[in-house]
Amino acid sequence: DWTWTSNGREITLTGYSGPNAVVIPDMLDGLPVTGFGGIFSGNMDITSVSGGANIKAVDGYAFFACRALTSVSLPACTTVGDFAFAWCEALTSVSLPACTTVGGSAFSGCWALNSVSLPACTTVGDGAFSACEGLNSVSLPACTTVGEAAFYNCGALNSVSLPACTTVGDSAFANCWALNSVTLPACTTVGSYA
């Protein structure tokens, strides 16, 4: 069950009670559902999130510390806010095919996340995947900017492919002890300790 507000053109979800496998509706009362704010932040019960064909942005802290969350699929989302999925320790699957911007610390501390493929992403914010200790491969074919400490302390990371990347921030890959393959053919700027 959902609670929501409407401005006459679109719906913003304001509350949820229902199954732990959350399916965000595309429409309610004949209007597109375009947001859900922080209604899931800190929720210890939800296990998956999908649907939401009209959700273009996941706000900062939207799923912060949702410790049972294992999978996310939001096909229309273009922006992931700061700390949006930080400390989702069980998160293993992320499908955000339209995402162009990943905010600061967006996936920080997602220990179970082992691979990331964001085909449309152009910007990875500071600390975006820091402390993702299980992360071993990253595919960001459209990414042009990797922020400071973006993959800091990703101890299992062994393969990075960033063919369009021009800028890598300070300490972006610091403490990535297993890193043995990096592809950055277009890179012109690499920060200190990167």
Side-chain angles (χ1 to χ4, degrees):
D1 289 336
W2 299 97
T3 56
W4 66 85
T5 60
S6 171
N7 63 8
R9 295 180 310 279
E10 59 190 15
I11 299 283
T12 299
L13 301 174
T14 58
Y16 174 74
S17 62
N20 292 335
V22 177
V23 179
I24 297 172
D26 297 342
M27 309 279 282
L28 285 171
D29 279 354
L31 296 173
V33 174
T34 59
F36 52 84
I39 65 173
F40 298 109
S41 187
N43 184 309
M44 299 294 187
D45 299 318
I46 63 170
T47 57
S48 65
V49 176
S50 62
N54 297 305
I55 300 291
K56 303 288 190 227
V58 174
D59 292 344
Y61 292 90
F63 295 97
F64 182 81
C66 290
R67 290 192 161 90
L69 185 63
T70 60
S71 70
V72 173
S73 177
L74 295 169
C77 177
T78 59
T79 304
V80 174
D82 296 350
F83 294 93
F85 295 96
W87 304 109
C88 290
E89 297 162 357
L91 189 63
T92 58
S93 175
V94 175
S95 177
L96 299 165
C99 183
T100 58
T101 303
V102 174
S105 299
F107 293 93
S108 180
C110 292
W111 301 334
L113 193 61
N114 61 24
S115 69
V116 171
S117 178
L118 297 170
C121 185
T122 58
T123 304
V124 174
D126 295 350
F129 294 94
S130 61
C132 288
E133 297 172 2
L135 189 62
N136 61 37
S137 70
V138 174
S139 177
L140 298 163
C143 185
T144 58
T145 304
V146 173
E148 294 182 12
F151 295 94
Y152 182 80
N153 271 353
C154 291
L157 186 61
N158 61 37
S159 173
V160 175
S161 177
L162 299 164
C165 188
T166 58
T167 304
V168 175
D170 295 349
S171 302
F173 296 99
N175 294 346
C176 293
W177 312 116
L179 194 58
N180 61 32
S181 173
V182 178
T183 305
L184 298 165
C187 194
T188 57
T189 304
V190 177
S192 302
Y193 308 105

